[in-house]
C-alpha cells in the first residue's frame, strides 16, 4: 500500500548505500591486513631473538604463528578481491540501469510527442505551407511585372531581340 502511495524506493539509493558499505568493509579489511602484517613482522623479530638466544623451540613457534598470520593475510586479500569484484559489477549494473532508464525516458517522450502530432495534422500543415508559398510566388511575380513606360520599353527590347 505504501509503495503505491509514495512510490518505490530509488534503485540508485540502494546502489549507493551498497557501494558505501562495500567501501567501509574494504577499509576495515585493509586495516586488519596492516595489523596482521605488523604481527607477522613482530613474530619474525621474536624468532630472530630466540635464535640468538639458542632457543630453537620458541623460534619455531614464532615462525608458526607468523605463517598463521600470513594465511590470514592471504584470506583477507581474497576477501578484498571479492569485494572489488562486487563493486565493479555493482557499478556496471548501476550504469546499465541508468542507461536503460534514460532510453526508457526518451522513448516515452518520443511517444508523447507522436501523440501530440498525427499524420493528418502534418499533411494539413504541409498543404497550408505549400498554398502560402504559392500565394507568395504569385505576389512576387505581380510585383516584378513592369508597368507603364517600363512595360513598353520591355516590349521594344523583346521585338529588337526577335529581329536581330
Amino acid at each position: 500500500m505504501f509503495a503505491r502511495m509514495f512510490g518505490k524506493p530509488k534503485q540508485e539509493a540502494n546502489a549507493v548505500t551498497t557501494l558505501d558499505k562495500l567501501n567501509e568493509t574494504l577499509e576495515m579489511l585493509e586495516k586488519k591486513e596492516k595489523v596482521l602484517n605488523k604481527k607477522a613482522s613482530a613474530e619474525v623479530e621474536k624468532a630472530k631473538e630466540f635464535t640468538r638466544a639458542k632457543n630453537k623451540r620458541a623460534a619455531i613457534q614464532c615462525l608458526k604463528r607468523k605463517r598463521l598470520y600470513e594465511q590470514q593475510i592471504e584470506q583477507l586479500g581474497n576477501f578484498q578481491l571479492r569485494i572489488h569484484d562486487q563493486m565493479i559489477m555493482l557499478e556496471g549494473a548501476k550504469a546499465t540501469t541508468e542507461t536503460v532508464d534514460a532510453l526508457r525516458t526518451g522513448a516515452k517522450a518520443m511517444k508523447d510527442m507522436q501523440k501530440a502530432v498525427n499524420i493528418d495534422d502534418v499533411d494539413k500543415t504541409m498543404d497550408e505551407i505549400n498554398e502560402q508559398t504559392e500565394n507568395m510566388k504569385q505576389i512576387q511575380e505581380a510585383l516584378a511585372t513592369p508597368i507603364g513606360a517600363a512595360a513598353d520599353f520591355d516590349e521594344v527590347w523583346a521585338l529588337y531581340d526577335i529581329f536581330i
Side-chain angles (χ1 to χ4, degrees):
M1 182 173 153
F2 285 106
R4 277 188 269 153
M5 289 174 62
F6 300 109
K8 294 181 182 178
K10 293 239 178 197
Q11 208 73 21
E12 186 177 322
N14 290 340
V16 170
T17 55
T18 302
L19 282 170
D20 288 343
K21 178 68 176 164
L22 288 171
N23 271 325
E24 288 173 18
T25 304
L26 194 59
E27 288 174 12
M28 181 265 305
L29 290 173
E30 288 170 351
K31 287 178 185 177
K32 280 187 177 183
E33 184 179 10
K34 286 180 184 177
V35 169
L36 289 173
N37 275 324
K38 287 180 183 178
K39 287 183 178 182
S41 295
E43 291 298 329
V44 169
E45 292 302 317
K46 286 182 193 176
K48 287 179 183 178
E49 288 176 21
F50 286 129
T51 303
R52 281 188 219 116
K54 305 278 193 236
N55 190 348
K56 187 176 179 181
R57 190 171 160 275
I60 290 173
Q61 290 297 320
C62 289
L63 293 176
K64 285 181 180 179
R65 282 191 297 271
K66 175 193 169 258
R67 190 176 322 133
L68 289 174
Y69 288 138
E70 287 174 342
Q71 287 173 349
Q72 287 181 332
I73 290 168
E74 185 178 339
Q75 188 178 31
L76 290 176
N78 289 334
F79 291 163
Q80 290 171 359
L81 186 60
R82 286 186 187 140
I83 288 176
H84 279 293
D85 186 44
Q86 185 66 39
M87 290 171 72
I88 290 168
M89 295 297 286
L90 186 59
E91 288 169 349
K94 183 180 172 205
T96 300
T97 302
E98 289 173 355
T99 301
V100 169
D101 286 344
L103 291 171
R104 193 175 291 136
T105 301
K108 184 181 180 318
M110 190 179 294
K111 190 174 183 180
D112 292 344
M113 284 186 225
Q114 286 177 350
K115 284 180 184 178
V117 177
N118 64 37
I119 191 67
D120 292 334
D121 289 341
V122 172
D123 285 341
K124 184 179 176 184
T125 302
M126 292 308 295
D127 287 343
E128 289 174 1
I129 290 172
N130 288 335
E131 185 179 328
Q132 293 303 318
T133 302
E134 192 60 38
N135 288 343
M136 188 56 66
K137 285 181 183 177
Q138 289 175 359
I139 291 170
Q140 289 173 349
E141 285 176 10
L143 291 174
T145 305
I147 54 172
D152 294 338
F153 188 71
D154 281 345
E155 288 177 16
V156 170
W157 278 106
L159 290 174
Y160 178 77
D161 288 337
I162 292 174
F163 293 113
I164 294 183

